[in-house]
Amino acid sequence: MPADVFTDEALPRLEAAAQHAKAKPDTIERLRHAEKFVEVSIPVTMDDGSLKVFTGYRCRYSTARGPAKGGIRYHPQVNPGEVRALAFWMTFKCATVGIPFGGGKGGVIVDPRQLSKQELEALSRAYVRALAELMGPEIDVPAPDVYTNATIMGWMSSEYDTIRRGLHPGFITGKPVAKGGSLGRDDATARGGFACLSQLQHKRNWNPKDITIAIQGFGNAGQHFARLADEAGYKVVAVSDSRGGIYDPDGLDVRAAIEAKETTGKLPKQGKPIDNEQLLALDVDVLVPAALENAVTKDNVDAVKARVLIELANGPLTKDADEVLAKSETLVVPDILANAGGVTVSYFEWTQNRSGDSWKLQTVYDRLNEVMAQSFNDVYDLAQAKGLPMRTACYVHALNRLADAME
Ligand code: GLU
């Protein structure tokens, strides 16, 4: 685990892009620093009557292109460097896909699986009370991230409304549809990543049934990506969660795997069991890291055999691993593009909340696909034209947009 994800893994990406972008040195210097970073203590009365104080964070990295935007993560390993890095990545993600948001992120150090539903609700509401003065529809708009979901967004929305004495659905996105959420937000991250896969299919003349895919991480993004790929005829040969994975070279029964995960919380017995390291090293066409940061490091990158990597997680490759792959034949579709579908539909949700409109599911899909196809091709063409890896091209593209706003 690197000492600080922000300085070790996030900032170097800005420095690498700076040499190729039109941004002035002052702009780059501004972007090396978050606008605001806040730590709060969050007291919660537990079910047994005892008091537990949790630590929470919110980082408003940039508002140069619009209100800060980004999820709230509940995880035992949340730390200030990670929150800052994630907020930095949100800034570049929103600029990549051209939605009018800056970047932010929040987190709480907690294992939510250890809390009862009541405790989880109390924690979520208390997080909003601790930070309400810094967040809002026109300044910083939170959303779900790792181990947070629509129900938690609903509680947070309700708490914000109580504090503000009014209804402000645009305060937070990823809400339940009945509470002002958008149709299509639940699988938006996966759908955006899948749109990248579809663009590659056209460019490389793929026949989906010949293309093998391995997915590391079987949470929201990983499961939906597996489903979409399976429905489109791709061969999903391996999936894994934090406990390990399953592998069948002839293709898994994806539907059964999702159902087992939903009902038992575990992957079913299918094909043969593999661990996460074996999954990352499989000889597949497409590898999809969809779990946490730093899945592929300098220690295991040489084992990666996939021809294409689609980063559905945030920061799944360390800088060192990335440098190795950049010199290889492997094409890496970077996180700030590949997983931008989630925040894009968050933008649609925020837009609907502010206009009072509600879009049909197909409208959400069509607009999302339009944004993703355009962004993918902008980045792909820039990478080709400048002879850059897709990640650097993506940062250059985003940086040019940030510079336009800042200068
Ligand atoms: N947490 C998601 C991400 O990392 C979504 C953020 C959002 O919808 O604001 O992109």
Side-chain angles (χ1 to χ4, degrees):
M1 191 73 181
D4 186 295
V5 189
F6 176 69
T7 47
D8 296 356
E9 304 297 341
L11 274 188
R13 270 125 206 209
L14 172 64
E15 309 300 347
Q19 337 160 14
H20 305 282
K22 64 177 188 187
K24 294 182 179 146
D26 286 357
T27 305
I28 309 289
E29 175 56 9
R30 180 68 192 101
L31 285 169
R32 290 189 182 108
H33 307 271
E35 284 177 19
K36 198 182 273 282
F37 189 96
V38 182
E39 176 180 322
V40 289
S41 54
I42 310 171
V44 174
T45 306
M46 307 300 278
D47 290 349
D48 65 4
S50 67
L51 183 84
K52 205 161 173 180
V53 180
F54 295 90
T55 301
Y57 305 98
R58 185 75 194 169
C59 176
R60 186 188 298 169
Y61 201 90
S62 168
T63 53
R65 299 184 64 261
K69 185 83 192 80
I72 300 168
R73 174 174 295 201
Y74 286 178
H75 196 277
Q77 257 99 52
V78 162
N79 61 78
E82 181 190 53
V83 173
R84 201 183 295 264
L86 289 161
F88 169 93
W89 284 325
M90 287 307 304
T91 304
F92 284 81
K93 191 184 299 185
C94 294
T96 294
V97 288
I99 56 176
F101 284 134
K105 202 76 167 202
V108 179
I109 306 174
V110 60
D111 182 353
R113 290 166 302 187
Q114 307 293 322
L115 300 190
S116 72
K117 198 170 173 197
Q118 285 77 0
E119 291 166 343
L120 197 59
E121 176 172 355
L123 172 69
S124 304
R125 288 181 180 275
Y127 178 86
V128 174
R129 283 198 300 281
L131 289 161
E133 62 193 339
L134 299 174
M135 302 190 296
E138 269 133 26
I139 187 67
D140 184 355
V141 184
D145 196 75
V146 172
Y147 291 150
T148 53
N149 55 30
T151 305
I152 293 174
M153 299 305 109
W155 291 328
M156 290 184 163
S157 172
S158 144
E159 189 65 24
Y160 188 80
D161 288 348
T162 305
I163 294 166
R164 294 274 180 249
R165 293 269 175 256
L167 297 176
H168 303 275
F171 156 65
I172 200 163
T173 59
K175 300 178 291 297
V177 174
K179 288 283 293 170
S182 177
L183 293 172
R185 177 63 184 84
D186 50 349
D187 67 356
T189 304
R191 206 167 273 279
F194 182 72
C196 296
L197 183 71
S198 303
Q199 291 303 314
L200 280 169
Q201 180 190 333
H202 294 139
K203 291 197 189 304
R204 299 199 164 183
N205 253 326
W206 281 343
N207 187 348
K209 73 173 179 30
D210 301 329
I211 300 298
T212 52
I213 301 182
I215 302 170
Q216 185 237 7
F218 213 50
N220 172 293
Q223 283 182 38
H224 284 301
F225 189 92
R227 177 180 55 80
L228 291 166
D230 183 56
E231 283 169 5
Y234 286 91
K235 209 190 274 183
V236 179
V237 295
V239 300
S240 68
D241 64 14
S242 55
R243 280 175 287 255
I246 50 178
Y247 171 55
D248 183 341
D250 297 323
L252 294 168
D253 182 343
V254 170
R255 228 192 259 195
I258 293 173
E259 202 179 297
K261 185 77 186 169
E262 257 168 23
T263 48
T264 66
K266 289 188 187 132
L267 287 168
K269 287 198 169 52
Q270 256 190 54
K272 67 171 197 169
I274 50 170
D275 64 26
N276 270 292
E277 289 304 313
Q278 290 170 312
L279 182 139
L280 294 169
L282 285 174
D283 188 2
V284 287
D285 296 295
V286 182
L287 175 64
V288 183
L292 292 168
E293 300 92 84
N294 307 331
V296 183
T297 66
K298 65 176 181 347
D299 300 328
N300 61 2
V301 65
D302 291 332
V304 171
K305 296 179 197 71
R307 267 65 76 191
V308 171
L309 252 94
I310 298 183
E311 295 187 332
L312 223 44
N314 287 309
L317 264 63
T318 63
K319 178 177 72 74
D320 298 343
D322 202 30
E323 279 163 10
V324 173
L325 289 180
K327 289 192 202 106
S328 76
E329 292 293 299
T330 304
L331 178 82
V332 178
V333 184
D335 49 3
I336 57 168
L337 170 65
N339 71 31
V343 74
T344 300
V345 177
S346 276
Y347 165 56
F348 298 162
E349 179 173 335
W350 181 80
T351 301
Q352 291 169 74
N353 292 155
R354 292 161 67 87
S355 66
D357 202 355
S358 95
W359 298 5
K360 291 194 175 66
L361 186 58
Q362 196 56 48
T363 307
V364 172
Y365 289 167
D366 292 347
R367 294 200 180 174
L368 173 61
N369 283 334
E370 201 182 307
V371 169
M372 292 306 304
Q374 175 78 50
S375 309
F376 183 93
N377 285 301
D378 285 350
V379 172
Y380 191 90
D381 293 348
L382 186 65
Q384 299 280 311
K386 294 208 173 210
L388 295 172
M390 257 187 110
R391 186 182 323 273
T392 310
C394 197
Y395 274 90
V396 171
H397 174 63
L399 193 49
N400 286 339
R401 283 189 169 152
L402 281 154
D404 281 342
M406 294 166 75
E407 293 168 12

